[in-house]
Every structure is written in C-alpha cells, then in structure tokens.
Amino acid sequence: MKSFLYPIYIVIFFASHSIFSQEAKAIFSYPEFVEGFNITAKKGYKILEIKQINTPYNKTSHEQFVLVHRDSVALINSLKKQYKNVIRIPAEKIIVTSTTHLPGIDMLQSSEKVIGFPGTDFISSASFRSLIKKGKLKEMGQQEQLNLELVLAAAPELIIGYAVGEIPKLYKTLVQSGIPVILNHDWLAQHPLGKASWIYLYGALFDKLDQADQLFKAIHDQYNDAKKLAAKALTTPTVFSGAMYKDVWYAPGGKSWAAQFIKDANGSYIFNNHHTGSDSFGIEYVLTKAAYSDFWIGPAQYTSYREMLKSSVHYSQFKAFKHKKIFSYSSNKGATGGVLYYELAPQRPDLVLKDLIAILHPELLPNHSFTFFKKLDD
C-alpha cells in the first residue's frame, strides 16, 4: 500500500489482542508479534482468522477461512457443509491489491502464483516486473482499485484486499460471485515486526508455513540484533519527520511504526505523543519543536534541497536543513516509478532499522550499504 503524509491518511484504532492456543504457538516462533490474524491447526486443515477493523461498519470481530489441501476432495466437500469460506491450498491463482503484499510472496518463492494487480506501475520488485513483462501478471485496474470485469475475466481463486473503514462494495460483489476476499491489515500493525508477521498469511495460503516461520524468525532475530547494536551508541540524536502539504505539516505519530524505528535505532523522536497514525501541525509548532533537531528523516516526497526550497522557504529554518542532515526514501524507485520503501519496508523492518542506525550512528555500521534511505541531493 502506498503511504503518504497527507490528509488522506485515515487513522483507525485497531485492537489485536489475540489469545493464542498451544497449536498456534507451534506455528509461530514469536506469537507476541503476530498482529491482526491467527492460524490454528486442525486435523487435516487449518483455520485462518482475520481480525476485523474496529469500526461501526463491521458487526463481527473476525472472519474465518478454512484452508485445506486441494487434493483432499472428500474433506473439502465435508468442510463446505460446516464453514462459509473454504479455500484450497496451495493457492494457484491469486490477485493482490497492495505492493506491501508482494515481498512476502516473493520471499516464499511463489511470485508466479500472482496473476493480477491494480496499478502495476507501482510495483518495484524485479521478479514481479519480470512477470509483468512476460504477460503473466496482468493489470487489474488503477491506483490499487480493482476493475470488476478484468478480475472476473482472470478467474482468480482468491483475492488479497485491504480496507480502510467500510469494506468496499466491490469486495462484497466478488464474494457473491464465488471469489473469496481475504483482507490484509498489515498497515494497521503498530510494531514493525507486526507488519512483517503477515508473511504467515502467504505461508498458509501457499502451504509453506514452516518456510514462513523460518523467514520471520530470521527477520525478527536480525531486527533485535540491530536494536541491541544501536543501544551501544553513546549519543541519542534528536529526529523529526514529515513535511508540509497546503500549509499543514503531516508527520508520523509518536506511537506509529515509523516512530518505533527511530526509537529502536536509539534516536529521540521529537513528536513524542500517543498517536499511532499521522499527525498534523502548524509550521510554528513544528519550528518550536524541531528547529534544532539533529536529523530529518522522511521529508515526504522530496529528494533534493532545491526542490524543498522551491516548495517553501520555511524548510531552510531547520538545523537539519542547514547542516544537510536530511534523509529520504523517495529516491529509491523501481523501473516504472514505484517507491521501494512503500513495497518492501513493511516486510523487511530489519533493513529499515539498519539504515536508520547507519544514519544516526554511522560509527556502528561504518560499511553499511543502504537499502532505502539516501541523503537529499543538492
């Protein structure tokens, strides 16, 4: 999902207090970081439970999907009498709707199972771009909005969607036509590892849960190792984020996943509050809080100082601007303009954290090769 620090950022509070069974603990090496879903093993099948977003539009707390091997015909027929959503695995033909869905699938070596995406120009991944070029991954709409006729013509086995607030009517139409829609709420996870845990969803769908657990465990361990390294730094530099849009400054809240990265990189985030989504401020307030901050991380879409000055002279009043301590993820793009950070960062928080440690404490990672962030051009 593409993320912007603009008013379209809608903040929804999401409760993900899961009670994990012993079976679930056997599936997840670190169940405490699994946010928004659960998977339990039954005899011959698994149940995938997706927690619903806590809004007035949803009348139930969760939705269940029964996952059963496609060769178990008798069991499939039996389960269809008991459950509403029965999905055959491993899935062979799926459509996904957000770029954040792609890296986990790629890591599980199941890229060829994705047959459609709405807005393929936003995809940065080399493996998926190759599939697009070969005509195996087709356009299904624009700007992550599905086109019903294209979807029905592609005849997918299921769709991975997402919803902000009310579930799109199109999803309901697709479900009525016999195509299951599983909502991925990775974007609501508060901890960076919570977003990454959604790789288990794809592990379940492609019958590769053991592999998904190994991958997540590696990401978890590398993230924690990097966090421990950052804690050895002798200083804790101050950091702020965001930029102005129509005279309003938008920045990640103090309890957002972006703020968590800065904290774990041993930085002090200036906008220290309890907000989990996006905050909006006046420029006077931002100058009062951040004028003398050491670093400016993530100045929205900007990639150069010249571009920032052209947009607003206010930017030149910040110490980080004057000392050229601004780092952006907007420069690193795929072949057709998709920003790599929006696609890969949620699945690889360990790489994000290492980038930030190298920025805030370069002495700790002197030979670091950056994945996402880059100093602004002049």
Side-chain angles (χ1 to χ4, degrees):
M1 183 185 310
K2 300 179 294 298
S3 302
F4 300 93
L5 297 174
Y6 292 162
I8 60 173
Y9 219 118
I10 301 175
V11 180
I12 296 176
F13 292 95
F14 180 62
S16 60
H17 301 292
S18 300
I19 300 176
F20 289 89
S21 66
Q22 291 300 316
E23 292 172 324
K25 288 180 180 179
I27 292 173
F28 308 120
S29 287
Y30 299 102
E32 67 271 25
F33 288 106
V34 176
E35 290 192 46
F37 68 96
N38 197 4
I39 301 170
T40 52
K42 300 295 181 180
K43 189 174 182 179
Y45 63 97
K46 292 180 177 65
I47 292 181
L48 168 67
E49 189 174 271
I50 303 292
K51 301 297 187 297
Q52 296 281 41
I53 300 174
N54 186 20
T55 74
Y57 305 109
N58 295 320
K59 298 179 180 180
T60 59
S61 60
H62 64 273
E63 186 170 15
Q64 287 186 337
F65 297 87
V66 176
L67 311 179
V68 57
H69 197 280
R70 58 195 316 118
D71 292 337
S72 303
V73 179
L75 181 57
I76 290 173
N77 292 333
S78 175
L79 290 170
K80 282 184 176 179
K81 297 176 183 178
Q82 304 175 51
Y83 296 97
K84 175 184 175 183
N85 301 308
V86 178
I87 296 175
R88 298 179 300 165
I89 61 170
E92 295 293 339
K93 296 171 60 180
I94 76 170
I95 289 174
V96 302
T97 55
S98 169
T99 55
T100 64
H101 303 164
L102 299 172
I105 297 173
D106 195 14
M107 291 167 64
L108 289 166
Q109 299 176 314
S110 299
S111 302
E112 74 282 357
K113 307 300 184 183
V114 181
I115 63 169
F117 184 88
T120 54
D121 282 350
F122 290 106
I123 296 176
S124 300
S125 164
S127 62
F128 284 105
R129 294 236 56 87
S130 176
L131 291 172
I132 294 169
K133 187 175 181 180
K134 294 175 182 177
K136 295 182 178 180
L137 198 170
K138 297 183 179 180
E139 184 64 69
M140 289 292 138
Q142 294 295 324
Q143 296 286 335
E144 298 177 339
Q145 299 299 312
L146 292 170
N147 179 292
L148 179 61
E149 292 182 2
L150 292 175
V151 172
L152 294 177
E157 293 180 343
L158 62 96
I159 292 170
I160 307 296
Y162 69 91
V164 178
E166 186 174 10
I167 297 174
K169 292 181 180 179
L170 177 62
Y171 289 171
K172 298 177 182 178
T173 301
L174 291 169
V175 170
Q176 291 171 355
S177 70
I179 303 174
V181 178
I182 298 176
L183 296 182
N184 183 321
H185 301 317
D186 59 358
W187 61 282
L188 282 169
Q190 300 307 314
H191 194 282
L193 288 170
K195 292 182 185 290
S197 73
W198 281 81
I199 193 171
Y200 285 109
L201 169 65
Y202 307 110
L205 293 176
F206 298 121
D207 202 18
K208 295 182 178 181
L209 269 173
D210 288 344
Q211 187 176 340
D213 187 56
Q214 292 172 10
L215 289 165
F216 181 74
K217 188 176 185 300
I219 292 169
H220 170 278
D221 293 349
Q222 291 178 51
Y223 189 95
N224 274 2
D225 287 346
K227 181 179 176 180
K228 291 175 184 176
L229 177 65
K232 296 178 181 179
L234 300 179
T235 61
T236 301
T238 51
V239 181
F240 70 107
S241 187
M244 286 192 297
Y245 178 72
K246 294 184 177 179
D247 297 325
V248 178
W249 191 288
Y250 294 93
K255 294 297 181 182
S256 65
W257 81 301
Q260 185 68 47
F261 276 127
I262 293 170
K263 178 182 178 181
D264 290 346
N266 199 355
S268 177
Y269 188 52
I270 291 300
F271 304 125
N272 185 20
N273 54 39
H274 295 285
H275 300 164
T276 57
S278 179
D279 275 329
S280 57
F281 308 111
I283 182 61
E284 295 82 6
Y285 175 81
V286 177
L287 279 169
T288 300
K289 294 285 290 183
Y292 298 101
S293 292
D294 300 310
F295 290 91
W296 187 344
I297 306 292
Q301 78 280 10
Y302 297 113
T303 59
S304 73
Y305 290 95
R306 187 184 308 107
E307 186 182 10
M308 293 185 74
L309 270 182
K310 185 177 179 180
S311 175
S312 174
V313 294
H314 289 301
Y315 293 138
S316 64
Q317 299 179 63
F318 293 92
K319 171 187 171 183
F321 186 99
K322 297 173 183 176
H323 293 186
K324 295 193 174 180
K325 294 288 186 179
I326 305 178
F327 291 79
S328 174
Y329 50 70
S330 297
S331 298
N332 196 348
K333 298 179 179 179
T336 51
V339 177
L340 179 65
Y341 184 85
Y342 298 146
E343 181 174 318
L344 183 59
Q347 189 59 67
R348 293 302 306 271
D350 54 319
L351 299 180
V352 178
L353 184 58
K354 289 175 184 177
D355 272 8
L356 291 175
I357 293 170
I359 290 170
L360 303 183
H361 311 287
E363 72 282 359
L364 296 179
L365 292 172
N367 300 312
H368 180 70
S369 179
F370 286 87
T371 303
F372 303 108
F373 290 91
K374 179 185 176 183
K375 269 190 172 183
L376 256 63
D377 297 327
D378 291 336

